[in-house]
Amino acid sequence: MYISRLLLKSFRNYENETIFFSPGINIITGKNGSGKTNILEAVYILSHVKSFKNCLDSDIVTWGNKEYFICVDVKNSHNLTIEAGVGIEDHHSIKKVKIDSKEIKKLTEFYGIIKVVAFFPDDISIIYGSPDTVRKYYDRFFSKIDREYLELLSSFKKILKNRNKLLKDLEFKRDIIKQLDIWDAMYSDCVYKISKKRVQYINIFNQHFNKVYKEISGFDDNLEIIYTTQCDNNSLQSIQQMLLKKRNIDIQWGTTTIGPHRDSYCVMGMNKKIFKSYASTGQRRLASIAMKMAEVTIVDAMSGHISIVMLDDVLSELDEERRINVIHKLTINNHQIIITCANMSDIQFLNNYKLFNVINNRVVEQ
């Protein structure tokens, strides 16, 4: 799988730009702030629906315009054209996405059609960031390889929202408490299925993560991701019982205190210590890159497609030996790779690539 063409219209700093990528390695260079990352952002949106940045669609539209349009042609066993457009009306955004000109209404039918794994400088937060940040990373990852997991997450969010509303309403309408039994039954079933899948995929992830970390870093730490849930994922009945046990607290607080939205993931290192408690910034960076590289391996294996890999100025933080290790592992299976960098010295060890330069809001093929 690779992107042959990317079209950008009124997207960030690009008014109307078309980029023709090589199926191999592509280098996008330019000064800091020139708009290199915006190109990766467009590809990311076409895979994940939303930007990796914490921003509104209205923030993405080129200043002075009221809409943006992005499109990619993807070469695979069969060719695809994937489009996304956003219009701004009365400060509200309306987004439409299409696959081969057919409008897609459900997120689950669009998410992850293009298999993209992106490496960003902020990825280090999946090692030491807040539990919510880390959960979102794994949810995105698991959703790429399991459409049912994505659907379960969507259902869970709706059930959780309705259960929490009911808990708040109970303060004024005690007679509706019987409705809680109905929501609890749906909630328990959804929690059970999500927890089971999380255990399954973390076990698979751990089979690759530590091996990749050692190969690219040269360190001997035995790293492992520990998934912790308050709910017993081996028993639907135990989840139902725990929910009932927590009911009075949930009513008192007006919110659901157990479930996937409270689960945690933690990287454990040498002597079963919490990795982030002793790891240097360099070790954390290498661990986050190893996580993404393990993700590439798993997405490839479970989807049956070779992922498109994007690296946004990530190599600059590594020494040359580790840069070579990373790129070597990614090129073994002929991934299309798109790399942004401000300094060409970061990729001087590469011999065969297509080069683009961002100058004055234009992408110039060298």
Side-chain angles (χ1 to χ4, degrees):
M1 175 178 286
Y2 70 92
I3 294 170
S4 59
R5 180 186 71 117
L6 170 66
L7 174 63
L8 309 169
K9 290 187 177 182
S10 300
F11 185 90
R12 296 288 189 185
N13 62 311
Y14 298 107
E15 191 61 44
N16 190 349
E17 205 71 24
T18 302
I19 306 169
F20 294 94
F21 288 109
S22 159
I25 298 176
N26 300 268
I27 306 295
I28 303 171
T29 188
K31 295 180 179 179
N32 289 329
S34 61
K36 303 185 297 295
T37 300
N38 297 344
I39 297 169
L40 305 192
E41 182 182 23
V43 174
Y44 191 93
I45 290 172
L46 289 163
S47 174
H48 296 75
V49 183
K50 296 180 180 180
S51 170
F52 61 88
K53 299 179 181 179
N54 185 22
C55 65
L56 301 173
D57 281 317
S58 57
D59 297 329
I60 297 173
V61 179
T62 301
W63 179 257
N65 291 340
K66 292 186 177 181
E67 59 185 20
Y68 78 70
F69 175 79
I70 52 179
C71 173
V72 287
D73 292 332
V74 180
K75 303 294 183 181
N76 201 8
S77 54
H78 59 283
N79 298 336
L80 292 171
T81 297
I82 300 180
E83 307 165 73
V86 167
I88 310 300
E89 296 181 5
D90 298 324
H91 304 290
H92 295 287
S93 61
I94 300 173
K95 177 181 283 183
K96 291 185 179 181
V97 294
K98 294 181 179 180
I99 299 176
D100 288 338
S101 300
K102 179 184 177 183
E103 187 174 349
I104 305 301
K105 297 293 187 180
K106 292 180 64 177
L107 169 67
T108 53
E109 294 177 6
F110 186 86
Y111 188 95
I113 291 295
I114 313 176
K115 303 301 179 186
V116 172
V117 179
F119 296 63
F120 295 111
D122 286 347
D123 287 341
I124 197 169
S125 65
I126 62 181
I127 301 296
Y128 73 86
S130 69
D132 185 57
T133 296
V134 178
R135 275 194 301 271
K136 285 179 179 178
Y137 164 70
Y138 286 105
D139 282 343
R140 287 192 296 266
F141 172 24
F142 300 159
S143 294
K144 289 179 191 177
I145 57 178
D146 188 339
R147 190 61 54 85
E148 184 184 3
Y149 184 84
L150 179 59
E151 291 172 347
L152 282 169
L153 275 183
S154 179
S155 296
F156 170 76
K157 289 174 183 176
K158 292 175 184 175
I159 295 168
L160 177 64
K161 182 179 179 180
N162 283 295
R163 187 177 190 271
N164 284 344
K165 183 179 184 304
L166 181 60
L167 290 169
K168 289 180 174 67
D169 289 345
L170 281 170
E171 182 180 354
F172 310 101
K173 305 174 185 177
R174 296 295 297 183
D175 58 319
I176 62 173
I177 195 167
K178 287 186 177 180
Q179 295 180 27
L180 204 52
D181 292 334
I182 300 171
W183 288 110
D184 283 4
M186 292 189 290
Y187 188 83
S188 298
D189 182 65
C190 202
V191 169
Y192 173 70
K193 291 175 180 176
I194 289 173
S195 299
K196 289 280 285 187
K197 285 183 177 291
R198 285 180 172 178
V199 170
Q200 175 189 353
Y201 293 131
I202 281 297
N203 287 339
I204 294 171
F205 188 79
N206 276 326
Q207 294 172 19
H208 300 277
F209 169 51
N210 185 52
K211 180 174 180 289
V212 174
Y213 176 73
K214 287 184 174 181
E215 287 174 349
I216 66 170
S217 72
F219 296 130
D220 289 328
D221 303 52
N222 288 312
L223 303 189
E224 181 182 15
I225 310 298
I226 301 298
Y227 165 60
T228 304
T229 177
Q230 298 167 289
C231 304
D232 182 356
N233 55 78
N234 292 314
S235 169
L236 175 58
Q237 185 180 14
S238 67
I239 294 173
Q240 293 170 335
Q241 291 173 346
M242 182 172 288
L243 206 58
L244 190 59
K245 183 179 178 181
K246 294 279 188 177
R247 177 173 287 191
N248 288 336
I249 294 175
D250 288 356
I251 292 172
Q252 181 181 346
W253 289 4
T255 190
T256 305
T257 56
I258 63 168
H261 59 305
R262 307 282 183 174
D263 291 350
S264 65
Y265 302 84
C266 183
V267 183
M268 304 301 289
M270 59 182 182
N271 301 321
K272 300 298 181 181
K273 293 181 180 178
I274 297 175
F275 180 68
K276 67 180 181 181
S277 68
Y278 71 84
S280 66
T281 301
Q283 286 174 303
R284 294 177 182 182
R285 170 62 64 198
L286 287 165
S288 69
I289 291 173
M291 290 176 77
K292 288 301 188 79
M293 294 182 73
E295 180 183 338
V296 171
T297 301
I298 296 166
V299 170
D300 289 357
M302 298 193 71
S303 71
H305 300 289
I306 301 299
S307 304
I308 297 160
V309 178
M310 305 193 302
L311 298 98
D312 184 29
D313 202 24
V314 172
L315 297 178
S316 63
E317 299 188 17
L318 305 179
D319 57 47
E320 185 170 356
E321 179 181 354
R322 286 167 175 146
R323 290 176 199 155
I324 293 172
N325 290 344
V326 169
I327 297 300
H328 173 70
K329 285 194 66 64
L330 292 174
T331 53
I332 290 175
N333 291 321
N334 298 317
H335 293 93
Q336 180 182 45
I337 303 175
I338 305 173
I339 301 171
T340 68
C341 64
N343 192 336
M344 288 296 291
S345 63
D346 293 342
I347 44 90
Q348 62 184 356
F349 60 89
L350 291 174
N351 296 314
N352 189 17
Y353 54 83
K354 190 170 186 178
L355 179 63
F356 303 89
N357 194 7
V358 180
I359 305 172
N360 297 325
N361 302 323
R362 299 303 305 270
V363 181
V364 181
E365 185 176 326
Q366 301 295 295

